[in-house]
Amino acid sequence: MNDAPAVIVNIQRQPGANVIEVVDRVKRLLRSSPPRFPPRSRSRRSTDRTVTIRASVRDVQIELVLAIALVVMVIFLFLRTAAGRSSPASPCRCRWSAPSG
């Protein structure tokens, strides 16, 4: 790799497996295993798809919290006004009758 001798290990997840969990387990395994490479060698990851996946999950979590806060705020504002009390969710005391004719 880059004009240097290298050993490339490609780890792929099985269908249906959680990518983030697989990467975390591989990282844990590599940290806990005794060194099996020569002393002057080094290891590095060339690609890691979980960086973008983790960022996307974090963005979704933030958007979900903002959406819940907005819904709670709108409900709170409308229930404090007359329009909130006459919303369809409140019980209606009027009778509807079919037109006679």
Side-chain angles (χ1 to χ4, degrees):
M1 183 168 233
N2 296 332
D3 297 329
V7 174
I8 297 173
V9 178
N10 186 16
I11 300 172
Q12 294 184 338
R13 67 172 177 88
Q14 291 184 344
N18 184 342
V19 177
I20 294 175
E21 185 178 309
V22 170
V23 169
D24 289 344
R25 289 179 66 191
V26 168
K27 286 179 183 178
R28 239 181 292 128
L29 180 67
L30 289 175
R31 276 189 302 238
S32 67
S33 66
R36 297 181 186 179
F37 301 107
R40 292 179 45 194
S41 66
R42 61 188 171 99
S43 65
R44 69 177 181 93
R45 289 185 308 274
S46 60
T47 60
D48 187 358
R49 290 180 35 207
T50 62
V51 173
T52 55
I53 294 172
R54 289 177 200 269
S56 297
V57 168
R58 182 71 181 143
D59 288 344
V60 167
Q61 290 173 336
I62 291 170
E63 293 296 325
L64 185 61
V65 168
L66 289 174
I68 290 171
L70 183 61
V71 167
V72 168
M73 187 173 64
V74 167
I75 289 173
F76 181 74
L77 288 174
F78 277 110
L79 289 179
R80 293 285 178 156
T81 65
R85 286 188 216 103
S86 64
S87 69
S90 63
C92 182
R93 301 199 190 281
C94 51
R95 288 186 166 213
W96 295 94
S97 59
S100 57

